[in-house]
Amino acid sequence: MKDGVNGVALGVFVFFFLAVTVMGFLAARWRKAENESLDEWGLGGRSFGTWVTWFLLGGDLYTAYTFVAVPAAIYAAGAAGFFAVPYTILVYPLIFTFLPRLWSVSHKHGYVTTSDFVRGRFGSKGLSLAVAVTGILATMPYIALQLVGIQAVLDVMGVGGGENTNWFVKDLPLLIAFGVLAAYTYSSGLRAPALIAFVKDTLIYIVIAVAIIYIPIKLGGFDEIFGKAAEAYKTINPATGKPKGALVPGEAGQWTYATLALGSALALFMYPHSITATLSSRSRNVIRRNTTILPLYSLMLGLLALLGFMAIAAGIKVKNGQLAIPQLFETMFPDWFAGVAFAAIGIGALVPAAIMSIAAANLFTRNIYKDFIKKDATPAQETKVSKLVSLLVKVGALVFVLTMDKTVAINFQLLGGIWILQTFPALVGGLFTRWFHRWALLAGWAVGMAYGTAAAYGVASPTQKHFGGSAAEIPGIGEIGYIGLTAFVLNVVVTVVLTFVLKAVKAPEGVDETSPEDYTADAGDPGVTDLPKVGTAAH
């Protein structure tokens, strides 16, 4: 690591940061509507077309986690870290089947969150509350991970001083970045990250294109890179007594790899921020087109993952693996282009952090505040509460980053994946059938959440006694697999069995306020253009 502050890189970083800050505040005037509502602040007026939605979803899904944690996993353990590539390939055919249906029914009834849909479909505020609380819990560590990405960049640039520096001075740059993010999100809502996403994705594609060509040339080619990586992985880790990793996953790790990829694919579009970006689009066909062009990001992700091998070949040595890629950029790139790369990571954190905080705030406002605290809240009151909660969510994520060991951020995010996957039966199941009983879905969710959390608590790592990973032995099979997928299977089994029982005893099923034609409706169809407010229909 270079001594002192990298002035050139910092200057370039600050330039791009200021540029997107201005864009964030100006976004408040972009397609601004006269009325103040969650449709406008939290969903951008449901007005985004194909390309805006594509950049927004790309900025939403491919985050600082992508730039920092995926290659960091490969840097630390080898090819097992590539699980993110197949899961982003699996997810797009999956969402093609259900996202258009969710958009249609949400547009028809004015649903802003997944919990709105679950409440309307099953007539259950309890199930809706469970989905909302899960979404908020799963989103918090994800936001924290974005702030960790910003902090990693600042550390490598030498900003904030050394470890012995006063904590306030050391963390001041992160506090400033947080304050700016909070301010323009509060002011502009979803329009801010939608506009900034254009800059973020352009920078990322430029950096990846340069890195995948320039760095291998400097390191002697990919043969040299893979050779050095293979040798490094053979080194014994003193903490475990085993090799540090493998260039090709061993047979023992195949169940873990496959189940983690499948479970992550099922979970990705259960996250509130994914759905928020989806519902902001202006038509059903926009969603369908996006599911066909979003795989372009998977190509980028595969190339990005190779940076983990390059960091090993370049001799990058860091105690915190999440610093490996920023350090690689500073070591290999000219200072000015290192600043561009750091800006890509930093902005790659700001965009999803903004969307995630908006999504979590919408869940609280619509499905906790309006349903249980102030049932007669006006659209303006909903928007005000959502703005305030979005600030609180960011503060919570900031506290996590400033008070906890940075190396645990990825594991807590993976725990969030275990949780959010348990909402799949209610959301996706509800989009295709009303057969599941609302109480059975709630019981299945509870079992999945309890098992997933308990199993993850029992996983230790060299640096953590609890929550040290997301893989454990699968009961009855004996193989090591993704805890979230095991919990999901238990969830489904409980839901199906209890549905049979509850239907047999004729337990009340609640009122379904949707109709079959709602799931294929498009903008401009009769009854769709004027969105009713959630809560006006009978439940």
Side-chain angles (χ1 to χ4, degrees):
M1 184 178 292
K2 298 178 182 178
D3 295 328
V5 177
N6 188 333
V8 175
L10 179 60
V12 174
F13 178 88
V14 170
F15 168 78
F16 281 107
F17 186 84
L18 291 175
V20 299
T21 297
V22 172
M23 291 176 67
F25 285 109
L26 290 178
R29 302 181 180 181
W30 179 36
R31 301 180 180 178
K32 184 178 181 180
E34 294 181 1
N35 64 313
E36 188 174 18
S37 67
L38 282 188
D39 269 4
E40 292 299 328
W41 183 82
L43 293 180
R46 303 183 191 250
S47 62
F48 298 146
T50 300
W51 288 111
V52 175
T53 303
W54 185 70
F55 278 105
L56 183 62
L57 277 169
D60 190 12
L61 303 177
Y62 297 87
T63 67
Y65 163 77
T66 309
F67 243 125
V68 174
V70 171
I74 291 169
Y75 171 83
F82 268 99
F83 81 90
V85 178
Y87 102 64
T88 59
I89 294 171
L90 290 171
V91 73
Y92 297 116
L94 175 68
I95 63 175
F96 186 84
T97 65
F98 73 83
L99 274 193
R101 294 178 66 84
L102 178 62
W103 182 92
S104 292
V105 70
S106 298
H107 201 77
K108 178 68 181 289
H109 290 272
Y111 299 147
V112 174
T113 68
T114 53
S115 292
D116 282 347
F117 164 71
V118 168
R119 185 189 62 179
R121 179 62 153 162
F122 295 101
S124 172
K125 288 186 178 180
L127 183 59
S128 170
L129 177 64
V131 172
V133 170
T134 305
I136 294 170
L137 286 175
T139 300
M140 290 292 291
Y142 220 155
I143 299 173
L145 197 64
Q146 310 314 312
L147 300 182
V148 168
I150 297 176
Q151 193 169 55
V153 167
L154 295 174
D155 286 348
V156 170
M157 286 191 295
V159 178
E163 290 297 326
N164 296 324
T165 306
N166 176 275
W167 73 269
F168 179 77
V169 174
K170 178 173 172 47
D171 293 321
L172 183 60
L174 183 63
L175 293 172
I176 294 172
F178 163 82
V180 171
L181 167 68
Y184 69 63
T185 303
Y186 186 94
S187 170
S188 305
L190 193 66
R191 288 177 172 85
L195 196 59
I196 295 171
F198 285 93
V199 177
K200 174 255 187 187
D201 288 355
T202 300
L203 287 178
I204 284 181
Y205 273 108
I206 290 173
V207 171
I208 295 302
V210 171
I212 208 68
I213 297 172
Y214 179 77
I215 295 178
I217 290 174
K218 291 196 68 175
L219 294 177
F222 278 103
D223 283 349
E224 186 73 11
I225 291 170
F226 290 135
K228 288 184 178 180
E231 287 300 315
Y233 291 136
K234 293 177 183 178
T235 306
I236 300 299
N237 185 339
T240 63
K242 298 178 181 179
K244 290 184 176 180
L247 196 60
V248 178
E251 185 176 347
Q254 290 176 4
W255 270 84
T256 304
Y257 186 92
T259 54
L260 184 56
L262 178 57
S264 299
L266 294 175
L268 184 59
F269 273 81
M270 300 302 102
Y271 279 102
H273 58 278
S274 302
I275 300 302
T276 295
T278 299
L279 297 185
S280 69
S281 58
R282 68 186 177 206
S283 74
R284 177 185 174 91
N285 282 334
V286 166
I287 302 303
R288 293 166 65 89
R289 283 193 291 268
N290 264 274
T291 60
T292 63
I293 59 179
L294 275 169
L296 287 173
Y297 282 99
S298 297
L299 174 63
M300 177 204 72
L301 183 59
L303 298 176
L304 176 64
L306 295 175
L307 296 178
F309 296 134
M310 296 180 197
I312 295 173
I316 302 299
K317 302 292 184 183
V318 291
K319 292 182 179 179
N320 181 355
Q322 304 201 26
L323 297 176
I325 301 312
Q327 188 58 56
L328 173 69
F329 289 158
E330 185 178 55
T331 301
M332 303 302 297
F333 287 147
D335 287 347
W336 70 270
F337 195 75
V340 174
F342 294 155
I345 299 175
I347 299 170
L350 294 177
V351 171
I355 303 171
M356 291 169 189
S357 65
I358 290 170
N362 288 346
L363 280 171
F364 175 86
T365 301
R366 244 359 200 319
N367 309 114
I368 297 177
Y369 176 75
K370 186 175 177 64
D371 277 353
F372 296 97
I373 301 174
K374 188 174 177 59
K375 297 180 181 180
D376 60 346
T378 65
Q381 289 173 328
E382 288 181 6
T383 304
K384 182 178 180 180
V385 170
S386 201
K387 286 181 175 182
L388 292 173
V389 173
S390 75
L391 296 180
L392 294 176
V393 168
K394 295 188 195 72
V395 170
L398 184 65
V399 169
F400 175 92
V401 171
L402 297 181
T403 60
M404 299 192 71
D405 186 346
K406 311 303 182 295
T407 59
V408 309
I410 181 63
N411 287 329
F412 274 99
Q413 189 274 327
L414 290 174
L415 180 60
I418 294 172
W419 290 335
I420 201 67
L421 182 53
Q422 307 318 309
T423 65
F424 190 99
L427 177 58
V428 179
L431 287 169
F432 292 96
T433 179
R434 188 58 166 71
W435 181 78
F436 296 117
H437 195 282
R438 54 181 177 165
W439 296 347
L441 285 165
L442 189 57
W445 166 85
V447 169
M449 290 287 286
Y451 172 83
T453 304
Y457 179 82
V459 178
S461 73
T463 58
Q464 288 179 250
K465 186 176 180 180
H466 302 292
F467 300 115
S470 59
E473 183 175 316
I474 303 172
I477 296 179
E479 299 285 351
I480 303 298
Y482 178 41
I483 293 169
L485 194 60
T486 306
F488 170 72
V489 172
L490 290 174
N491 182 343
V492 172
V493 169
V494 170
T495 299
V496 171
V497 171
L498 283 183
T499 295
F500 276 114
V501 173
L502 291 168
K503 284 183 176 292
V505 300
K506 300 188 182 327
E509 297 196 23
V511 177
D512 179 6
E513 68 179 25
T514 70
S515 57
E517 59 270 18
D518 295 345
Y519 295 87
T520 55
D522 204 349
D525 289 351
V528 175
T529 50
D530 296 323
L531 295 175
K533 299 300 177 187
V534 173
T536 58
H539 287 265

